[in-house]
Amino acid sequence: MSRLNKFRASLPEGIDAFLIAKPDNRAYLTGFTGSNGYVLVSRDMALILTDFRYIEQVAAEAPEFSAVDYKASLHDALQQALTEHRISRLGLESDFTTVSNYQAYKDKLQAELVPQTGPIEKLRMVKDASELASMRQAAAIAEEALRQTLPKIKVGVSEAFIALELEVAMRRLGAERIAFDIIAASGPRSSLPHGRASGRLIESGDFLTLDFGAVYNGYCSDMTRTFVIGAASTEQRRVYNIVLEAQQAALAAVKPGLLGKEVDAVARGIITAAGHGEHFGHGLGHGIGRAVHEGPSAGTKGEDALEPNMVITVEPGIYIPNFGGVRIEDMVVLTPAGCENFYSFSKELIVLY
Ligand code: ZN
Ligand code: ZN
């Protein structure tokens, strides 16, 4: 079944049509990659309302959809489609529609508005073969970029330099762009779970956490490794190994049927038993795809049951103020029996000189 027909089949009873404006959802459902478009789908209609720039592109990229040039007024064009197809109850993306857009729809459309949470996000959680192929490539690009960058990391270079090297390597290897601002957090800054690369210079004895991803074919990868510069102290090794043990236990536990929060609990149990529960203040992982963060959650509130072909990250961490932090992150796809890791990059503690 095409994504369009899957979505149609999932349209709740009592909703005649659904309006999709969120760019990720639009691209996922239609294949149309332009920057402006409102997708209107009912059981017997599939339109993309856009402007002059994209009429030809819609025909090429989204053959299941008809392109409508809405010219002066989106609302007039929408109303015309609603009238033509006798739509009286219109679903909207409740987590994307702004208050002012909602008000304008309310004022200008003769339809009952029915905000809905994430019907397309739900479909997006389970990946098809082409999505998985793109994500594998996005992961391979990031992993190879890390390999190429490691020899350039030494005492005296800045976090920003390392981030730039990683970015350039990913772009050279075929990434469309980076998936998010690269996190390069060294020394005491490594206790910031999301410390963006700064001008700080790398020193001997630092932890260095690198968290980065590539986008390929519109799909993201996400990976974290933590290194030590010069030599690792006993305490650094101890903390690192707790995170590694938690990460490996969670990876071994991931399988269809578990709730996201149950996978989180596996890693959290190990970190808490080691006395660092309060230093692991974020969820274990998240779904990933067109967005770096999407469903299903693998955090403490992850209520979605895992299914084959979902992709999640597994990224426990320990962050100790004035000492530093460690995070290890892989991205895995659920298989019928467990999961398959997208990365093969070593997770032993690597000391860089
Ligand atoms: Zn990450
Ligand atoms: Zn992540």
Side-chain angles (χ1 to χ4, degrees):
M1 230 200 294
S2 73
R3 290 176 190 170
L4 171 60
N5 286 329
K6 268 190 206 157
F7 177 62
R8 278 180 168 143
S10 73
L11 264 185
E13 280 295 314
I15 290 187
D16 304 320
F18 204 91
L19 181 66
I20 297 126
K22 189 174 174 180
D24 282 345
N25 287 343
R26 180 176 68 217
Y28 172 81
L29 189 67
T30 69
F32 168 56
T33 59
S35 65
N36 178 41
Y38 295 79
V39 182
L40 187 61
V41 172
S42 74
R43 288 171 182 87
D44 63 357
M45 152 189 72
L47 305 179
I48 299 179
L49 296 102
T50 183
D51 64 76
F52 171 78
R53 294 171 298 167
Y54 290 125
I55 298 299
E56 205 180 323
Q57 191 175 333
V58 167
E61 291 182 334
E64 287 176 297
F65 293 77
S66 309
V68 175
D69 183 349
Y70 63 69
K71 300 211 169 79
S73 167
L74 168 68
H75 297 103
D76 289 352
L78 268 175
Q79 183 55 53
Q80 198 181 330
L82 297 182
T83 306
E84 234 167 74
H85 294 268
R86 297 196 179 81
I87 307 296
S88 56
R89 285 171 57 89
L90 177 65
L92 293 176
E93 297 165 298
S94 61
D95 47 7
F96 184 75
T97 310
T98 62
V99 174
S100 57
N101 284 343
Y102 183 79
Q103 197 54 51
Y105 293 140
K106 225 177 149 137
D107 292 345
K108 293 178 180 159
L109 299 182
Q110 289 159 353
E112 184 185 342
L113 302 179
V114 190
Q116 296 268 305
T117 308
I120 296 194
E121 282 82 350
K122 214 171 151 82
L123 295 180
R124 281 170 53 185
M125 291 200 288
V126 176
K127 270 65 184 177
D128 65 26
S130 74
E131 295 180 288
L132 291 174
S134 298
M135 295 183 77
R136 261 179 237 289
Q137 186 59 22
I141 287 169
E143 189 167 57
E144 177 56 24
L146 179 60
R147 281 195 191 96
Q148 295 181 5
T149 301
L150 278 195
K152 299 174 179 170
I153 300 176
K154 41 180 75 88
V155 171
V157 304
S158 70
E159 294 170 352
F161 168 84
I162 298 165
L164 178 62
E165 290 292 318
L166 263 177
E167 175 167 354
V168 170
M170 286 193 279
R171 297 289 298 272
R172 273 214 187 95
L173 289 161
E176 290 156 28
R177 56 186 167 87
I178 52 175
F180 50 90
D181 284 347
I182 293 172
I183 291 167
S186 64
R189 292 190 77 247
S190 63
S191 66
L192 303 171
H194 270 192
R196 261 185 231 132
S198 77
R200 183 182 183 276
L201 304 182
I202 304 298
E203 293 174 20
S204 188
D206 281 353
F207 266 139
L208 170 65
T209 297
L210 299 177
D211 186 348
F212 57 98
V215 177
Y216 184 81
N217 258 347
Y219 284 81
C220 301
S221 64
D222 187 5
M223 167 184 196
T224 307
R225 288 293 184 272
T226 300
F227 305 94
V228 164
I229 312 296
S233 70
T234 309
E235 187 57 10
Q236 281 175 323
R237 280 191 189 280
R238 206 183 63 79
V239 171
Y240 187 90
N241 286 330
I242 297 165
V243 176
L244 181 57
E245 187 193 340
Q247 207 245 3
Q248 283 172 329
L251 286 174
V254 171
K255 64 168 191 224
L258 280 190
L259 304 183
K261 66 182 183 183
E262 292 172 322
V263 184
D264 177 286
V266 171
R268 200 165 299 280
I270 290 169
I271 290 174
T272 303
H276 288 289
E278 62 177 312
H279 298 137
F280 177 24
H282 59 72
L284 176 69
H286 50 87
I288 176 168
R290 286 192 166 272
V292 184
H293 294 113
E294 56 181 57
S297 161
T300 53
K301 293 182 185 134
E303 299 288 348
D304 288 311
L306 300 178
E307 290 174 35
N309 295 334
M310 286 182 169
V311 178
I312 59 169
T313 67
V314 175
E315 49 178 310
I318 292 179
Y319 312 91
I320 307 171
N322 302 316
F323 170 74
V326 173
R327 178 167 66 257
I328 303 170
E329 175 179 29
D330 286 327
M331 190 167 98
V332 301
V333 56
L334 273 282
T335 60
C339 70
E340 179 202 323
N341 203 324
F342 283 86
Y343 300 111
S344 61
F345 199 95
S346 173
K347 288 183 279 194
E348 293 309 309
L349 180 56
I350 295 177
V351 179
L352 302 170
Y353 297 94

